[in-house]
Protein backbone atom coordinates (compact mmCIF):
# COMPACT_ATOMS: atom_id res chain seq x y z
CA UNK A 1 0.00 0.00 0.00
CA UNK A 2 2.80 2.52 0.61
CA UNK A 3 3.85 2.13 -3.03
CA UNK A 4 0.28 2.71 -4.22
CA UNK A 5 0.14 5.87 -2.11
CA UNK A 6 3.44 7.06 -3.59
CA UNK A 7 2.26 6.43 -7.16
CA UNK A 8 -1.01 8.24 -6.51
CA UNK A 9 0.77 11.17 -4.86
CA UNK A 10 3.01 11.48 -7.91
CA UNK A 11 0.40 10.92 -10.66
CA UNK A 12 -2.84 11.94 -8.92
CA UNK A 13 -4.15 8.39 -9.43
CA UNK A 14 -2.83 4.86 -10.00
CA UNK A 15 -2.58 4.43 -13.78
CA UNK A 16 -3.30 1.00 -15.31
CA UNK A 17 0.27 0.60 -16.56
CA UNK A 18 1.53 1.13 -13.00
CA UNK A 19 -0.75 -1.68 -11.78
CA UNK A 20 1.04 -4.16 -14.02
CA UNK A 21 4.48 -2.99 -12.90
CA UNK A 22 3.51 -3.12 -9.22
CA UNK A 23 2.03 -6.59 -9.65
CA UNK A 24 5.21 -7.88 -11.30
CA UNK A 25 7.42 -6.23 -8.70
CA UNK A 26 5.57 -7.86 -5.81
CA UNK A 27 4.86 -11.15 -7.58
CA UNK A 28 1.12 -10.53 -7.45
CA UNK A 29 -1.57 -10.73 -10.09
CA UNK A 30 -2.91 -7.53 -11.64
CA UNK A 31 -6.29 -8.53 -10.17
CA UNK A 32 -4.84 -8.53 -6.64
CA UNK A 33 -3.38 -5.03 -7.05
CA UNK A 34 -6.55 -3.78 -8.75
CA UNK A 35 -8.58 -5.24 -5.88
CA UNK A 36 -6.66 -3.16 -3.35
CA UNK A 37 -7.05 -0.01 -5.45
CA UNK A 38 -10.80 -0.46 -5.83
CA UNK A 39 -11.42 -1.60 -2.24
CA UNK A 40 -9.95 1.45 -0.50
CA UNK A 41 -11.78 4.71 -1.20
CA UNK A 42 -8.65 6.83 -1.08
CA UNK A 43 -7.16 5.25 -4.22
CA UNK A 44 -8.22 6.38 -7.70
CA UNK A 45 -7.79 4.54 -10.99
CA UNK A 46 -8.67 7.56 -13.13
CA UNK A 47 -7.32 11.11 -13.01
CA UNK A 48 -9.26 13.37 -10.62
CA UNK A 49 -10.47 16.85 -11.38
CA UNK A 50 -8.33 19.83 -10.42
CA UNK A 51 -10.50 20.17 -7.31
CA UNK A 52 -11.68 17.11 -5.37
CA UNK A 53 -14.79 17.46 -3.20
CA UNK A 54 -15.45 14.62 -0.77
CA UNK A 55 -18.62 14.20 1.27
CA UNK A 56 -18.55 11.82 4.23
CA UNK A 57 -21.10 9.01 3.98
CA UNK A 58 -20.32 7.21 7.25
CA UNK A 59 -23.03 6.49 9.81
CA UNK A 60 -22.61 9.57 11.99
CA UNK A 61 -22.65 11.93 9.03
CA UNK A 62 -25.62 10.15 7.45
CA UNK A 63 -27.52 10.48 10.73
CA UNK A 64 -26.79 14.21 10.75
CA UNK A 65 -27.81 15.05 7.17
CA UNK A 66 -25.12 13.77 4.78
CA UNK A 67 -27.75 12.59 2.26
CA UNK A 68 -29.17 16.10 1.94
CA UNK A 69 -25.66 17.51 1.85
CA UNK A 70 -24.60 15.17 -0.96
CA UNK A 71 -27.71 16.06 -2.96
CA UNK A 72 -26.99 19.78 -2.53
CA UNK A 73 -23.34 19.35 -3.55
CA UNK A 74 -24.37 17.33 -6.63
CA UNK A 75 -26.81 20.05 -7.64
CA UNK A 76 -24.32 22.86 -7.05
CA UNK A 77 -21.48 21.15 -8.95
CA UNK A 78 -23.68 19.72 -11.71
CA UNK A 79 -22.32 16.17 -11.29
CA UNK A 80 -23.19 13.03 -9.34
CA UNK A 81 -21.02 11.17 -6.82
CA UNK A 82 -18.09 9.33 -8.46
CA UNK A 83 -18.06 11.75 -11.40
CA UNK A 84 -15.64 14.32 -12.74
CA UNK A 85 -17.01 17.27 -14.66
CA UNK A 86 -16.31 17.17 -18.38
CA UNK A 87 -14.11 20.27 -18.10
CA UNK A 88 -11.92 18.48 -15.54
CA UNK A 89 -12.48 21.19 -12.95
CA UNK A 90 -13.98 19.08 -10.16
CA UNK A 91 -14.46 15.51 -8.99
CA UNK A 92 -17.12 14.54 -6.43
CA UNK A 93 -16.36 11.55 -4.23
CA UNK A 94 -18.29 9.95 -1.40
CA UNK A 95 -15.92 8.88 1.38
CA UNK A 96 -16.44 6.78 4.46
CA UNK A 97 -15.22 8.71 7.47
CA UNK A 98 -13.24 11.90 7.57
CA UNK A 99 -12.75 11.51 11.32
CA UNK A 100 -15.13 14.27 12.39
CA UNK A 101 -17.93 12.09 13.72
CA UNK A 102 -18.63 14.39 16.65
CA UNK A 103 -19.01 17.30 14.23
CA UNK A 104 -21.11 15.66 11.51
CA UNK A 105 -21.75 16.02 8.66
CA UNK A 106 -18.30 16.59 7.23
CA UNK A 107 -16.82 17.24 3.81
CA UNK A 108 -13.40 17.93 2.36
CA UNK A 109 -12.38 20.19 -0.51
CA UNK A 110 -8.94 19.14 -1.68
CA UNK A 111 -7.01 18.87 1.59
CA UNK A 112 -9.25 21.16 3.63
CA UNK A 113 -11.77 19.52 5.96
CA UNK A 114 -15.04 21.17 7.05
CA UNK A 115 -17.31 20.14 9.93
CA UNK A 116 -21.01 20.64 10.65
CA UNK A 117 -21.65 21.36 6.99
CA UNK A 118 -25.13 22.30 5.85
CA UNK A 119 -26.42 22.93 2.34
CA UNK A 120 -26.69 26.62 3.29
CA UNK A 121 -22.90 26.78 3.88
CA UNK A 122 -22.03 25.34 0.44
CA UNK A 123 -21.76 28.65 -1.46
CA UNK A 124 -19.05 29.77 0.98
CA UNK A 125 -17.26 26.42 1.18
CA UNK A 126 -17.26 25.88 -2.56
CA UNK A 127 -16.51 29.49 -3.52
CA UNK A 128 -13.00 28.51 -4.57
CA UNK A 129 -14.07 25.62 -6.77
CA UNK A 130 -13.36 26.48 -10.40
CA UNK A 131 -16.23 27.57 -12.63
CA UNK A 132 -19.22 26.24 -10.71
CA UNK A 133 -22.09 24.91 -12.76
Amino acid sequence: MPLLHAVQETCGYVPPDAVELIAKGFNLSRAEVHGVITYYHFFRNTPPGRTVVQVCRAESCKACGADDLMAAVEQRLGIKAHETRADGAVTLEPVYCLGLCAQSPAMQVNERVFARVTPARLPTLLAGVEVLA
Side-chain angles (χ1 to χ4, degrees):
M1 286 195 23
L3 181 57
L4 291 172
H5 282 288
V7 169
Q8 182 159 295
E9 187 173 318
T10 301
C11 301
Y13 69 111
V14 182
D17 52 341
V19 172
E20 187 169 345
L21 293 171
I22 293 167
K24 284 182 182 177
F26 285 99
N27 197 28
L28 299 168
S29 71
R30 286 188 336 231
E32 289 172 303
V33 176
H34 178 75
V36 172
I37 294 166
T38 56
Y39 179 79
Y40 292 101
H41 73 266
F42 44 78
F43 290 123
R44 296 182 187 91
N45 55 12
T46 58
R50 292 181 296 280
T51 298
V52 176
V53 177
Q54 298 173 317
V55 177
C56 183
R57 308 292 287 162
E59 291 80 2
S60 178
C61 286
K62 281 185 73 70
C64 293
D67 290 339
D68 291 340
L69 178 61
M70 179 61 90
V73 172
E74 288 175 337
Q75 181 178 7
R76 179 144 181 97
L77 297 178
I79 56 174
K80 298 288 185 189
H82 302 287
E83 292 181 353
T84 298
R85 271 206 340 233
D87 63 4
V90 64
T91 295
L92 177 57
E93 299 176 337
V95 294
Y96 295 88
C97 199
L98 291 170
L100 294 171
C101 301
Q103 300 170 329
S104 297
M107 69 180 274
Q108 183 167 291
V109 178
N110 291 329
E111 301 295 319
R112 190 160 179 209
V113 181
F114 300 97
R116 294 188 176 104
V117 181
T118 63
R121 289 185 60 205
L122 288 179
T124 301
L125 300 181
L126 296 176
V129 175
E130 300 176 59
V131 194
L132 291 175

